[in-house]
Amino acid sequence: MSASTSTRTTVHTDTASLSAPSQSGRDLGLLLLRWAVGLTIAAHGTQKLFGWFGGGGLDGTAGFFEGSGYAAPQTMALVAGLTETLAGLGLVIGLLTPLAGAGVVGIMLNAIAVKWGSGFFNPTGIEYDLLLLVAAASLALTGPGRLAADRLLPVLRAHRLSYGLAAVALGAVSAGIVLVALRG
């Protein structure tokens, strides 16, 4: 092998490593995103379930659902609180990440439907809900990274785009069913 061949190979390898994103950086970024979205959603769930963090608890949340035109407001309060809490914690630890993302997608689609027509910007708009929906869908599609409990599950060890797509579709279909069947 000549010196020029060796140099070209080294330069090519060095250039490729500079342009490729660091796997550990990607994993850390996904971990931070999972924690931010997961803890936020889980906190909202505990507001609904237990009244923590200034929330209304099950009774207050049921009143909100009733006022928003949902049938079975007590059941909706329980389902929403459990979905947010469990999906949020699932994202935090990276467990069943596609399904956790689907739960958040479904909840946020319902939140956007309730707020629709109130504008884009908070306090009454949909910007916050849309951001959480997109972040959760992104995590479902990309996977949790290597710093996640999913790495211990043989089926999810190698994240597949098909899992993420199916999960996002499941969240959207579930939200649609709730909106059509349970909201007047």
Side-chain angles (χ1 to χ4, degrees):
M1 174 158 55
S2 71
S4 63
T5 304
S6 174
T7 303
R8 272 186 268 149
T9 304
T10 303
V11 169
H12 176 68
T13 303
D14 290 344
T15 304
S17 67
L18 290 175
S19 64
S22 163
Q23 183 65 37
S24 60
R26 183 179 311 133
D27 293 331
L28 185 57
L30 288 169
L31 176 67
L32 290 174
L33 181 60
R34 286 193 350 256
W35 283 357
V37 174
L39 289 173
T40 299
I41 293 295
H44 279 276
T46 61
Q47 284 182 309
K48 289 174 179 63
L49 290 175
F50 311 117
W52 295 355
F53 310 112
L58 285 174
D59 290 335
T61 303
F64 167 79
F65 278 112
E66 185 174 32
S68 298
Y70 284 87
Q74 280 294 130
T75 302
M76 284 299 303
L78 181 62
V79 169
L82 285 173
T83 301
E84 287 180 354
T85 303
L86 296 176
L89 293 176
L91 289 177
V92 168
I93 62 175
L95 181 63
L96 303 174
T97 304
L99 289 178
V104 176
V105 166
I107 290 289
M108 291 299 104
L109 283 172
N110 271 274
I112 289 170
V114 168
K115 292 180 177 181
W116 195 256
S118 297
F120 182 73
F121 295 103
N122 269 330
T124 59
I126 64 167
E127 67 176 324
Y128 177 69
D129 307 294
L130 183 61
L131 180 61
L132 290 172
L133 184 150
V134 170
S138 297
L139 287 167
L141 293 171
T142 62
R146 293 183 299 175
L147 303 173
D150 282 351
R151 297 228 350 128
L152 304 174
L153 302 174
V155 170
L156 294 175
R157 188 171 296 135
H159 182 79
R160 304 280 188 265
L161 178 60
S162 59
Y163 299 159
L165 289 171
V168 171
L170 175 66
V173 167
S174 298
I177 290 169
V178 167
L179 287 169
V180 169
L182 297 176
R183 186 161 185 245

PDB file of all heavy atoms in Angstrom, residues 68-102:
ATOM      1  N   SER A  68     -66.634  20.499  28.690  1.00  0.00           N
ATOM      2  CA  SER A  68     -66.098  20.457  27.326  1.00  0.00           C
ATOM      3  C   SER A  68     -66.919  19.552  26.410  1.00  0.00           C
ATOM      4  O   SER A  68     -66.552  19.339  25.255  1.00  0.00           O
ATOM      5  CB  SER A  68     -64.640  19.987  27.335  1.00  0.00           C
ATOM      6  OG  SER A  68     -63.835  20.899  28.056  1.00  0.00           O
ATOM      7  N   GLY A  69     -68.002  18.989  26.952  1.00  0.00           N
ATOM      8  CA  GLY A  69     -68.907  18.197  26.128  1.00  0.00           C
ATOM      9  C   GLY A  69     -68.596  16.718  26.028  1.00  0.00           C
ATOM     10  O   GLY A  69     -69.138  16.034  25.161  1.00  0.00           O
ATOM     11  N   TYR A  70     -67.769  16.185  26.912  1.00  0.00           N
ATOM     12  CA  TYR A  70     -67.460  14.758  26.880  1.00  0.00           C
ATOM     13  C   TYR A  70     -68.501  13.976  27.667  1.00  0.00           C
ATOM     14  O   TYR A  70     -68.909  14.392  28.747  1.00  0.00           O
ATOM     15  CB  TYR A  70     -66.082  14.484  27.489  1.00  0.00           C
ATOM     16  CG  TYR A  70     -64.931  14.853  26.587  1.00  0.00           C
ATOM     17  CD1 TYR A  70     -64.416  16.143  26.586  1.00  0.00           C
ATOM     18  CD2 TYR A  70     -64.343  13.921  25.747  1.00  0.00           C
ATOM     19  CE1 TYR A  70     -63.353  16.492  25.775  1.00  0.00           C
ATOM     20  CE2 TYR A  70     -63.281  14.258  24.935  1.00  0.00           C
ATOM     21  CZ  TYR A  70     -62.790  15.543  24.950  1.00  0.00           C
ATOM     22  OH  TYR A  70     -61.741  15.883  24.149  1.00  0.00           O
ATOM     23  N   ALA A  71     -68.917  12.834  27.117  1.00  0.00           N
ATOM     24  CA  ALA A  71     -69.759  11.894  27.856  1.00  0.00           C
ATOM     25  C   ALA A  71     -68.872  11.176  28.870  1.00  0.00           C
ATOM     26  O   ALA A  71     -67.658  11.081  28.693  1.00  0.00           O
ATOM     27  CB  ALA A  71     -70.384  10.895  26.893  1.00  0.00           C
ATOM     28  N   ALA A  72     -69.468  10.656  29.915  1.00  0.00           N
ATOM     29  CA  ALA A  72     -68.749   9.907  30.951  1.00  0.00           C
ATOM     30  C   ALA A  72     -67.547  10.701  31.475  1.00  0.00           C
ATOM     31  O   ALA A  72     -66.403  10.250  31.397  1.00  0.00           O
ATOM     32  CB  ALA A  72     -68.318   8.544  30.423  1.00  0.00           C
ATOM     33  N   PRO A  73     -67.779  11.881  32.030  1.00  0.00           N
ATOM     34  CA  PRO A  73     -66.661  12.736  32.434  1.00  0.00           C
ATOM     35  C   PRO A  73     -65.774  12.136  33.530  1.00  0.00           C
ATOM     36  O   PRO A  73     -64.558  12.347  33.507  1.00  0.00           O
ATOM     37  CB  PRO A  73     -67.341  14.022  32.907  1.00  0.00           C
ATOM     38  CG  PRO A  73     -68.758  13.683  33.145  1.00  0.00           C
ATOM     39  CD  PRO A  73     -69.080  12.530  32.253  1.00  0.00           C
ATOM     40  N   GLN A  74     -66.349  11.369  34.460  1.00  0.00           N
ATOM     41  CA  GLN A  74     -65.530  10.728  35.500  1.00  0.00           C
ATOM     42  C   GLN A  74     -64.562   9.717  34.879  1.00  0.00           C
ATOM     43  O   GLN A  74     -63.390   9.666  35.243  1.00  0.00           O
ATOM     44  CB  GLN A  74     -66.412  10.034  36.544  1.00  0.00           C
ATOM     45  CG  GLN A  74     -67.021  10.926  37.581  1.00  0.00           C
ATOM     46  CD  GLN A  74     -66.003  11.564  38.515  1.00  0.00           C
ATOM     47  OE1 GLN A  74     -66.062  12.768  38.697  1.00  0.00           O
ATOM     48  NE2 GLN A  74     -65.113  10.822  39.102  1.00  0.00           N
ATOM     49  N   THR A  75     -65.076   8.931  33.948  1.00  0.00           N
ATOM     50  CA  THR A  75     -64.235   7.943  33.267  1.00  0.00           C
ATOM     51  C   THR A  75     -63.160   8.647  32.436  1.00  0.00           C
ATOM     52  O   THR A  75     -62.002   8.224  32.436  1.00  0.00           O
ATOM     53  CB  THR A  75     -65.094   7.022  32.379  1.00  0.00           C
ATOM     54  OG1 THR A  75     -66.073   6.388  33.195  1.00  0.00           O
ATOM     55  CG2 THR A  75     -64.248   5.983  31.682  1.00  0.00           C
ATOM     56  N   MET A  76     -63.556   9.706  31.752  1.00  0.00           N
ATOM     57  CA  MET A  76     -62.585  10.458  30.948  1.00  0.00           C
ATOM     58  C   MET A  76     -61.476  11.034  31.828  1.00  0.00           C
ATOM     59  O   MET A  76     -60.308  11.014  31.456  1.00  0.00           O
ATOM     60  CB  MET A  76     -63.275  11.585  30.171  1.00  0.00           C
ATOM     61  CG  MET A  76     -64.044  11.122  28.955  1.00  0.00           C
ATOM     62  SD  MET A  76     -63.006  10.315  27.708  1.00  0.00           S
ATOM     63  CE  MET A  76     -61.808  11.572  27.355  1.00  0.00           C
ATOM     64  N   ALA A  77     -61.845  11.542  33.006  1.00  0.00           N
ATOM     65  CA  ALA A  77     -60.854  12.107  33.927  1.00  0.00           C
ATOM     66  C   ALA A  77     -59.853  11.031  34.355  1.00  0.00           C
ATOM     67  O   ALA A  77     -58.637  11.265  34.360  1.00  0.00           O
ATOM     68  CB  ALA A  77     -61.544  12.712  35.147  1.00  0.00           C
ATOM     69  N   LEU A  78     -60.371   9.852  34.687  1.00  0.00           N
ATOM     70  CA  LEU A  78     -59.499   8.753  35.107  1.00  0.00           C
ATOM     71  C   LEU A  78     -58.603   8.290  33.961  1.00  0.00           C
ATOM     72  O   LEU A  78     -57.384   8.124  34.137  1.00  0.00           O
ATOM     73  CB  LEU A  78     -60.338   7.586  35.637  1.00  0.00           C
ATOM     74  CG  LEU A  78     -59.556   6.371  36.134  1.00  0.00           C
ATOM     75  CD1 LEU A  78     -58.668   6.748  37.316  1.00  0.00           C
ATOM     76  CD2 LEU A  78     -60.515   5.255  36.521  1.00  0.00           C
ATOM     77  N   VAL A  79     -59.190   8.101  32.787  1.00  0.00           N
ATOM     78  CA  VAL A  79     -58.402   7.635  31.630  1.00  0.00           C
ATOM     79  C   VAL A  79     -57.339   8.670  31.249  1.00  0.00           C
ATOM     80  O   VAL A  79     -56.186   8.320  31.000  1.00  0.00           O
ATOM     81  CB  VAL A  79     -59.331   7.315  30.435  1.00  0.00           C
ATOM     82  CG1 VAL A  79     -58.539   7.101  29.154  1.00  0.00           C
ATOM     83  CG2 VAL A  79     -60.173   6.083  30.747  1.00  0.00           C
ATOM     84  N   ALA A  80     -57.715   9.943  31.219  1.00  0.00           N
ATOM     85  CA  ALA A  80     -56.749  10.989  30.868  1.00  0.00           C
ATOM     86  C   ALA A  80     -55.627  11.061  31.899  1.00  0.00           C
ATOM     87  O   ALA A  80     -54.441  11.137  31.542  1.00  0.00           O
ATOM     88  CB  ALA A  80     -57.446  12.340  30.743  1.00  0.00           C
ATOM     89  N   GLY A  81     -55.983  11.025  33.182  1.00  0.00           N
ATOM     90  CA  GLY A  81     -54.970  11.084  34.232  1.00  0.00           C
ATOM     91  C   GLY A  81     -54.021   9.903  34.196  1.00  0.00           C
ATOM     92  O   GLY A  81     -52.802  10.066  34.307  1.00  0.00           O
ATOM     93  N   LEU A  82     -54.569   8.699  34.030  1.00  0.00           N
ATOM     94  CA  LEU A  82     -53.720   7.502  33.953  1.00  0.00           C
ATOM     95  C   LEU A  82     -52.853   7.510  32.699  1.00  0.00           C
ATOM     96  O   LEU A  82     -51.667   7.170  32.755  1.00  0.00           O
ATOM     97  CB  LEU A  82     -54.579   6.235  33.986  1.00  0.00           C
ATOM     98  CG  LEU A  82     -55.173   5.848  35.330  1.00  0.00           C
ATOM     99  CD1 LEU A  82     -56.147   4.682  35.180  1.00  0.00           C
ATOM    100  CD2 LEU A  82     -54.069   5.513  36.326  1.00  0.00           C
ATOM    101  N   THR A  83     -53.439   7.908  31.573  1.00  0.00           N
ATOM    102  CA  THR A  83     -52.672   7.937  30.326  1.00  0.00           C
ATOM    103  C   THR A  83     -51.517   8.911  30.437  1.00  0.00           C
ATOM    104  O   THR A  83     -50.376   8.585  30.085  1.00  0.00           O
ATOM    105  CB  THR A  83     -53.574   8.302  29.132  1.00  0.00           C
ATOM    106  OG1 THR A  83     -54.618   7.336  29.022  1.00  0.00           O
ATOM    107  CG2 THR A  83     -52.781   8.344  27.833  1.00  0.00           C
ATOM    108  N   GLU A  84     -51.787  10.112  30.938  1.00  0.00           N
ATOM    109  CA  GLU A  84     -50.715  11.101  31.059  1.00  0.00           C
ATOM    110  C   GLU A  84     -49.639  10.649  32.039  1.00  0.00           C
ATOM    111  O   GLU A  84     -48.448  10.779  31.754  1.00  0.00           O
ATOM    112  CB  GLU A  84     -51.282  12.455  31.493  1.00  0.00           C
ATOM    113  CG  GLU A  84     -52.050  13.152  30.397  1.00  0.00           C
ATOM    114  CD  GLU A  84     -52.603  14.498  30.821  1.00  0.00           C
ATOM    115  OE1 GLU A  84     -52.496  14.876  32.015  1.00  0.00           O
ATOM    116  OE2 GLU A  84     -53.143  15.200  29.948  1.00  0.00           O
ATOM    117  N   THR A  85     -50.051  10.125  33.176  1.00  0.00           N
ATOM    118  CA  THR A  85     -49.079   9.703  34.181  1.00  0.00           C
ATOM    119  C   THR A  85     -48.224   8.547  33.673  1.00  0.00           C
ATOM    120  O   THR A  85     -46.993   8.591  33.739  1.00  0.00           O
ATOM    121  CB  THR A  85     -49.787   9.313  35.492  1.00  0.00           C
ATOM    122  OG1 THR A  85     -50.553  10.429  35.947  1.00  0.00           O
ATOM    123  CG2 THR A  85     -48.794   8.911  36.565  1.00  0.00           C
ATOM    124  N   LEU A  86     -48.873   7.506  33.142  1.00  0.00           N
ATOM    125  CA  LEU A  86     -48.126   6.322  32.702  1.00  0.00           C
ATOM    126  C   LEU A  86     -47.315   6.589  31.431  1.00  0.00           C
ATOM    127  O   LEU A  86     -46.168   6.140  31.319  1.00  0.00           O
ATOM    128  CB  LEU A  86     -49.079   5.146  32.509  1.00  0.00           C
ATOM    129  CG  LEU A  86     -49.770   4.668  33.791  1.00  0.00           C
ATOM    130  CD1 LEU A  86     -50.777   3.570  33.477  1.00  0.00           C
ATOM    131  CD2 LEU A  86     -48.751   4.208  34.823  1.00  0.00           C
ATOM    132  N   ALA A  87     -47.891   7.309  30.481  1.00  0.00           N
ATOM    133  CA  ALA A  87     -47.142   7.634  29.260  1.00  0.00           C
ATOM    134  C   ALA A  87     -45.958   8.537  29.592  1.00  0.00           C
ATOM    135  O   ALA A  87     -44.858   8.352  29.071  1.00  0.00           O
ATOM    136  CB  ALA A  87     -48.051   8.300  28.228  1.00  0.00           C
ATOM    137  N   GLY A  88     -46.177   9.504  30.474  1.00  0.00           N
ATOM    138  CA  GLY A  88     -45.085  10.389  30.872  1.00  0.00           C
ATOM    139  C   GLY A  88     -43.954   9.630  31.541  1.00  0.00           C
ATOM    140  O   GLY A  88     -42.777   9.809  31.209  1.00  0.00           O
ATOM    141  N   LEU A  89     -44.295   8.745  32.482  1.00  0.00           N
ATOM    142  CA  LEU A  89     -43.259   7.951  33.151  1.00  0.00           C
ATOM    143  C   LEU A  89     -42.586   6.986  32.181  1.00  0.00           C
ATOM    144  O   LEU A  89     -41.381   6.735  32.281  1.00  0.00           O
ATOM    145  CB  LEU A  89     -43.864   7.204  34.343  1.00  0.00           C
ATOM    146  CG  LEU A  89     -44.331   8.099  35.495  1.00  0.00           C
ATOM    147  CD1 LEU A  89     -45.013   7.260  36.580  1.00  0.00           C
ATOM    148  CD2 LEU A  89     -43.189   8.915  36.072  1.00  0.00           C
ATOM    149  N   GLY A  90     -43.367   6.458  31.232  1.00  0.00           N
ATOM    150  CA  GLY A  90     -42.778   5.596  30.200  1.00  0.00           C
ATOM    151  C   GLY A  90     -41.726   6.340  29.388  1.00  0.00           C
ATOM    152  O   GLY A  90     -40.653   5.797  29.092  1.00  0.00           O
ATOM    153  N   LEU A  91     -42.013   7.582  29.038  1.00  0.00           N
ATOM    154  CA  LEU A  91     -41.023   8.378  28.309  1.00  0.00           C
ATOM    155  C   LEU A  91     -39.799   8.661  29.177  1.00  0.00           C
ATOM    156  O   LEU A  91     -38.662   8.598  28.696  1.00  0.00           O
ATOM    157  CB  LEU A  91     -41.631   9.692  27.822  1.00  0.00           C
ATOM    158  CG  LEU A  91     -42.633   9.593  26.679  1.00  0.00           C
ATOM    159  CD1 LEU A  91     -43.218  10.969  26.349  1.00  0.00           C
ATOM    160  CD2 LEU A  91     -42.010   8.969  25.439  1.00  0.00           C
ATOM    161  N   VAL A  92     -40.016   8.979  30.444  1.00  0.00           N
ATOM    162  CA  VAL A  92     -38.899   9.303  31.335  1.00  0.00           C
ATOM    163  C   VAL A  92     -37.902   8.151  31.401  1.00  0.00           C
ATOM    164  O   VAL A  92     -36.690   8.367  31.290  1.00  0.00           O
ATOM    165  CB  VAL A  92     -39.402   9.665  32.759  1.00  0.00           C
ATOM    166  CG1 VAL A  92     -38.260   9.709  33.761  1.00  0.00           C
ATOM    167  CG2 VAL A  92     -40.139  10.998  32.732  1.00  0.00           C
ATOM    168  N   ILE A  93     -38.388   6.927  31.572  1.00  0.00           N
ATOM    169  CA  ILE A  93     -37.462   5.794  31.689  1.00  0.00           C
ATOM    170  C   ILE A  93     -37.194   5.116  30.349  1.00  0.00           C
ATOM    171  O   ILE A  93     -36.358   4.223  30.275  1.00  0.00           O
ATOM    172  CB  ILE A  93     -37.930   4.774  32.742  1.00  0.00           C
ATOM    173  CG1 ILE A  93     -39.275   4.164  32.390  1.00  0.00           C
ATOM    174  CG2 ILE A  93     -37.965   5.396  34.110  1.00  0.00           C
ATOM    175  CD1 ILE A  93     -39.716   3.066  33.345  1.00  0.00           C
ATOM    176  N   GLY A  94     -37.877   5.553  29.309  1.00  0.00           N
ATOM    177  CA  GLY A  94     -37.663   4.955  27.990  1.00  0.00           C
ATOM    178  C   GLY A  94     -38.224   3.554  27.899  1.00  0.00           C
ATOM    179  O   GLY A  94     -37.626   2.685  27.284  1.00  0.00           O
ATOM    180  N   LEU A  95     -39.362   3.329  28.510  1.00  0.00           N
ATOM    181  CA  LEU A  95     -40.001   2.013  28.511  1.00  0.00           C
ATOM    182  C   LEU A  95     -41.216   2.033  27.597  1.00  0.00           C
ATOM    183  O   LEU A  95     -42.109   2.860  27.778  1.00  0.00           O
ATOM    184  CB  LEU A  95     -40.421   1.625  29.935  1.00  0.00           C
ATOM    185  CG  LEU A  95     -41.089   0.262  30.079  1.00  0.00           C
ATOM    186  CD1 LEU A  95     -40.120  -0.855  29.686  1.00  0.00           C
ATOM    187  CD2 LEU A  95     -41.557   0.063  31.509  1.00  0.00           C
ATOM    188  N   LEU A  96     -41.228   1.123  26.625  1.00  0.00           N
ATOM    189  CA  LEU A  96     -42.306   1.063  25.632  1.00  0.00           C
ATOM    190  C   LEU A  96     -42.510   2.436  25.000  1.00  0.00           C
ATOM    191  O   LEU A  96     -43.626   2.932  24.886  1.00  0.00           O
ATOM    192  CB  LEU A  96     -43.596   0.528  26.262  1.00  0.00           C
ATOM    193  CG  LEU A  96     -43.498  -0.849  26.913  1.00  0.00           C
ATOM    194  CD1 LEU A  96     -44.801  -1.194  27.618  1.00  0.00           C
ATOM    195  CD2 LEU A  96     -43.123  -1.919  25.895  1.00  0.00           C
ATOM    196  N   THR A  97     -41.413   3.026  24.606  1.00  0.00           N
ATOM    197  CA  THR A  97     -41.400   4.407  24.122  1.00  0.00           C
ATOM    198  C   THR A  97     -42.400   4.672  23.001  1.00  0.00           C
ATOM    199  O   THR A  97     -43.098   5.691  23.046  1.00  0.00           O
ATOM    200  CB  THR A  97     -39.979   4.813  23.709  1.00  0.00           C
ATOM    201  OG1 THR A  97     -39.115   4.615  24.840  1.00  0.00           O
ATOM    202  CG2 THR A  97     -39.912   6.254  23.261  1.00  0.00           C
ATOM    203  N   PRO A  98     -42.524   3.802  21.988  1.00  0.00           N
ATOM    204  CA  PRO A  98     -43.521   4.095  20.955  1.00  0.00           C
ATOM    205  C   PRO A  98     -44.944   4.189  21.522  1.00  0.00           C
ATOM    206  O   PRO A  98     -45.701   5.089  21.156  1.00  0.00           O
ATOM    207  CB  PRO A  98     -43.391   2.923  19.979  1.00  0.00           C
ATOM    208  CG  PRO A  98     -41.999   2.420  20.178  1.00  0.00           C
ATOM    209  CD  PRO A  98     -41.729   2.618  21.636  1.00  0.00           C
ATOM    210  N   LEU A  99     -45.295   3.306  22.446  1.00  0.00           N
ATOM    211  CA  LEU A  99     -46.635   3.348  23.043  1.00  0.00           C
ATOM    212  C   LEU A  99     -46.803   4.546  23.965  1.00  0.00           C
ATOM    213  O   LEU A  99     -47.874   5.158  24.009  1.00  0.00           O
ATOM    214  CB  LEU A  99     -46.935   2.057  23.800  1.00  0.00           C
ATOM    215  CG  LEU A  99     -47.162   0.831  22.931  1.00  0.00           C
ATOM    216  CD1 LEU A  99     -47.410  -0.400  23.797  1.00  0.00           C
ATOM    217  CD2 LEU A  99     -48.312   1.048  21.973  1.00  0.00           C
ATOM    218  N   ALA A 100     -45.755   4.895  24.703  1.00  0.00           N
ATOM    219  CA  ALA A 100     -45.818   6.079  25.552  1.00  0.00           C
ATOM    220  C   ALA A 100     -46.025   7.322  24.688  1.00  0.00           C
ATOM    221  O   ALA A 100     -46.852   8.182  25.008  1.00  0.00           O
ATOM    222  CB  ALA A 100     -44.547   6.212  26.383  1.00  0.00           C
ATOM    223  N   GLY A 101     -45.301   7.396  23.581  1.00  0.00           N
ATOM    224  CA  GLY A 101     -45.489   8.510  22.653  1.00  0.00           C
ATOM    225  C   GLY A 101     -46.897   8.535  22.091  1.00  0.00           C
ATOM    226  O   GLY A 101     -47.508   9.597  21.955  1.00  0.00           O
ATOM    227  N   ALA A 102     -47.452   7.360  21.798  1.00  0.00           N
ATOM    228  CA  ALA A 102     -48.817   7.278  21.276  1.00  0.00           C
ATOM    229  C   ALA A 102     -49.823   7.809  22.281  1.00  0.00           C
ATOM    230  O   ALA A 102     -50.778   8.503  21.922  1.00  0.00           O
ATOM    231  CB  ALA A 102     -49.159   5.832  20.910  1.00  0.00           C
TER     232      ALA A 102
END
